[in-house]
Amino acid sequence: MELVRQNNPLIHCMTNDVVMNFTANGLLAIGASPVMAFSAAETEDMASVADALLLNIGTPSNEGVDSMVLAGKAANRAGKPIIFDPVGVGATPFRNEISKRILNEVDVAVVRGNAGEIAALLGQAGTVKGVDGKINADVKELCLQAAKALRTVVVVTGEVDAVSNGEQLVAVANGHEWLTKVVGTGCLLGGVIAAYAAVQPNSLVDAAVEALAFYGVCAEQAYEQTKKEGIGSFQQTFLNELGNMTDEKAAALKRVEQIC
Amino acid sequence: MELVRQNNPLIHCMTNDVVMNFTANGLLAIGASPVMAFSAAETEDMASVADALLLNIGTPSNEGVDSMVLAGKAANRAGKPIIFDPVGVGATPFRNEISKRILNEVDVAVVRGNAGEIAALLGQAGTVKGVDGKINADVKELCLQAAKALRTVVVVTGEVDAVSNGEQLVAVANGHEWLTKVVGTGCLLGGVIAAYAAVQPNSLVDAAVEALAFYGVCAEQAYEQTKKEGIGSFQQTFLNELGNMTDEKAAALKRVEQIC
Amino acid sequence: MELVRQNNPLIHCMTNDVVMNFTANGLLAIGASPVMAFSAAETEDMASVADALLLNIGTPSNEGVDSMVLAGKAANRAGKPIIFDPVGVGATPFRNEISKRILNEVDVAVVRGNAGEIAALLGQAGTVKGVDGKINADVKELCLQAAKALRTVVVVTGEVDAVSNGEQLVAVANGHEWLTKVVGTGCLLGGVIAAYAAVQPNSLVDAAVEALAFYGVCAEQAYEQTKKEGIGSFQQTFLNELGNMTDEKAAALKRVEQIC
């Protein structure tokens, strides 16, 4: 976190229409600089100067994906980490196709999704409902398997989050259920992982684990302050926490388990 | 409300760019699952699996309307209710054309608008200013007449809301003026009506009336808590109320009058 | 401010995808009526009936700029003031091109940007990072020079804001650093200047100075109330202040210096 605040990384967010504002405010809160650019006329230029690229297909279109692939290739050429968030993959054939296309044409550093989405990326059947789907799956096994198959770091978020690069496997138990009651908290998490990856590009598992623990602790603290009020207050207080949380406090409250 | 929270209906929102985030957060607050999908490459698939479809033309485009018509026809085939919110119709010829097109090509279950918008749908002249326009009109008569002409349930919102299916006419007096000071409260109301319609598809007048009363009571409660602070606080507290309100409390505070 | 609240000007916002909601809520808070319309099928009609037009290129596309030019020409024909916010110009060649195009084809009344953006409009090299870039520049000199070169009123925002029409030069010292921690505060400021310009079209320097002082005082007041909580609370309280601030209070707290 201190590294993010000191280095103020520029995160090029190609994210969905619903969560842009919340993502930008969350990234500003943690000390990163968000920039949004979507047109094929400039995404390569923007991806080249940014410190990391976030690709999120929450409201996908054909032109949007063309632009994402251009940006992704530019980020690859510039050696900048790419975080891919396959929102709602499994819900429609279109999202399956474009997810495959992005994974084929772009060298992704970290993939983040819920269990249903990660299973869908592997072609496994599951019941995905909208973008907050849950499937019955052994999340840890799924994470390890996906990381091997996709050859990236994989983050499976859920009640307990799992992170793997195909060899290591780490579980993060922080977080709160109310995160699922605010739209874009998963999408912003992708941005926060991008910010951590931008300042620690050579240890992506650590970057993802620290981002998850930090994020989860902020949610827990925000819930404690707003549980009597409701999720409108939670959303605002969560942004306060993202801005105020220190590495020391996050380290003291984190619940991280190295599994292998 | 309890039905919504138990059934957690999936609402496919094809709404405008300004209010997507607020709409999604409001639907999550009441216990529904929002999903946004706009591309013609997937709107039919999404509309088929969702429990209701919201069409809102607040920031219209030709491609967007093509997509809406595809989604609407798919929802019709699947027997899912469609709520149409003709935002700003009357303000430009383009909005008049696309509103006609949607009403001609799609079988809409509920139309929601302010008096100016509903009058414009009927081809009646009025002074519509932006998207919060008001015209002089006998709202109840307008509502009944529009429901007959459009052969749908019509909701005319204003100081007192009116709901009609062309035979019944119900007035709902709940609500607060500060709702007009937060962008997207009308649009979110369309989403809330969609959620109620999804769980009560065979009694759409009741669904709309209950949604209006619930929504209005939440606004009244939020105003009481924030009137000394201002509309920024009102917006947040309104989301708290949407999440916390019970059927019992809403029933005790509702001001509903069956007119015919 | 009282003029805005009395006249309730309709502001046609062609702004970026990230800040639409915040811009609309901020304009509602000050008593203006925002309307968003982007499609070439209706932007001319909307610009003709609105009282001012805001052009903001924060998330630009080729079609979007075509639409902006159409709207701009229609606003020019109707004699309505246009506020241009060249977000991120200097960051990519595309933003440089479209900024030139808008300034060439449309008669802009006020240009608002940070020092890096205004310098980029003049073709001066600078280090622009994302959309919150800072460059070393004598801001007042830059403002005067830009106003002469562009033949518009120019607003350069920063720690101290500068306003010039090429002859007069005014500095406004109000504001707070936390404004840079909430996305869209610069963009909303463009909308607020548009609202002031709509009700004072013949004294645009005064309109811009009053808008800046008002806006800055609201930020200072919001910071005082939320500095112990954080920037999530600041964002909400800033909206409260925009709604509650009076001309008298703003006049008492403004820090405005007429330089020439």
Side-chain angles (χ1 to χ4, degrees), chain B residues 135-146:
Chain B
I135 64 162
N136 256 332
D138 183 333
V139 168
K140 292 168 190 171
E141 182 52 39
L142 176 68
C143 184
L144 198 56
Q145 190 184 339

Side-chain angles (χ1 to χ4, degrees), chain B:
Chain B
M1 179 41 42
E2 286 314 312
L3 269 179
V4 172
R5 287 190 186 130
Q6 282 161 30
N7 291 313
N8 188 27
L10 182 64
I11 312 302
H12 179 189
C13 303
M14 298 184 72
T15 192
N16 70 72
D17 298 340
V18 186
V19 306
M20 286 182 203
N21 186 274
F22 186 66
T23 300
N25 275 326
L27 286 173
L28 285 171
I30 67 168
S33 278
V35 67
M36 310 259 166
F38 303 94
S39 168
E42 68 168 358
T43 51
E44 290 174 282
D45 292 322
M46 199 62 93
S48 305
V49 299
D51 299 304
L53 172 63
L54 173 66
L55 302 179
N56 172 309
I57 60 163
T59 51
S61 68
N62 279 309
E63 315 81 64
V65 174
D66 289 345
S67 254
M68 285 186 185
V69 168
L70 284 174
K73 288 179 175 173
N76 282 160
R77 285 193 298 273
K80 307 300 174 62
I82 299 173
I83 281 65
F84 176 44
D85 190 339
V87 177
V89 63
T92 66
F94 182 55
R95 296 190 190 215
N96 298 347
E97 282 163 34
I98 61 179
S99 295
K100 269 187 202 158
R101 186 179 162 203
I102 288 170
L103 288 168
N104 283 338
E105 301 191 29
V106 175
D107 191 2
V108 165
V110 181
V111 176
R112 185 212 77 87
N114 59 40
E117 290 160 349
I118 300 299
L121 285 185
L122 299 187
Q124 297 175 359
T127 307
V128 176
K129 187 177 181 185
V131 295
D132 55 355
K134 290 173 187 175
I135 64 162
N136 256 332
D138 183 333
V139 168
K140 292 168 190 171
E141 182 52 39
L142 176 68
C143 184
L144 198 56
Q145 190 184 339
K148 281 177 186 160
L150 303 175
R151 295 179 193 181
T152 65
V153 171
V154 169
V155 175
V156 182
T157 50
E159 213 176 308
V160 173
D161 308 319
V163 181
S164 178
N165 59 2
E167 298 181 355
Q168 290 174 274
L169 180 63
V170 184
V172 181
N174 295 102
H176 191 273
E177 190 210 340
W178 275 18
L179 284 175
T180 67
K181 289 294 196 178
V182 176
V183 76
T185 52
C187 302
L188 168 57
L189 173 59
V192 172
I193 294 172
Y196 274 77
V199 298
Q200 291 173 267
N202 298 319
S203 51
L204 291 173
V205 169
D206 288 349
V209 168
E210 286 165 30
L212 286 165
F214 167 83
Y215 202 77
V217 168
C218 288
E220 293 163 8
Q221 297 292 306
Y223 173 75
E224 285 306 317
Q225 293 165 61
T226 58
K227 60 187 169 189
K228 288 183 185 159
E229 297 167 29
I231 59 177
S233 302
F234 172 77
Q235 178 181 357
Q236 169 201 306
T237 303
F238 181 60
L239 285 174
N240 287 346
E241 287 295 323
L242 288 178
N244 297 336
M245 181 62 58
T246 61
D247 279 341
E248 291 67 35
K249 187 168 179 184
L253 296 169
K254 76 179 177 187
R255 288 176 286 152
V256 171
E257 183 191 359
Q258 184 94 24
I259 295 171
C260 64

Side-chain angles (χ1 to χ4, degrees), chain C residues 3 17 19 42 53 87 103 205-206 221 227 230 236 255:
Chain C
L3 269 179
D17 297 341
V19 305
E42 68 167 0
L53 173 63
V87 178
L103 288 169
V205 169
D206 288 350
Q221 297 292 305
K227 60 188 169 188
Q236 169 201 306
R255 288 177 284 151

Side-chain angles (χ1 to χ4, degrees), chain C residues 171-184:
Chain C
V172 181
N174 295 102
H176 191 274
E177 190 210 341
W178 274 18
L179 284 175
T180 67
K181 289 293 196 177
V182 176
V183 76

Side-chain angles (χ1 to χ4, degrees), chain A residues 122-141:
Chain A
L122 300 186
Q124 297 175 1
T127 306
V128 176
K129 186 178 182 186
V131 295
D132 56 354
K134 290 174 187 176
I135 64 164
N136 254 333
D138 184 333
V139 168
K140 291 169 191 171
E141 182 52 40

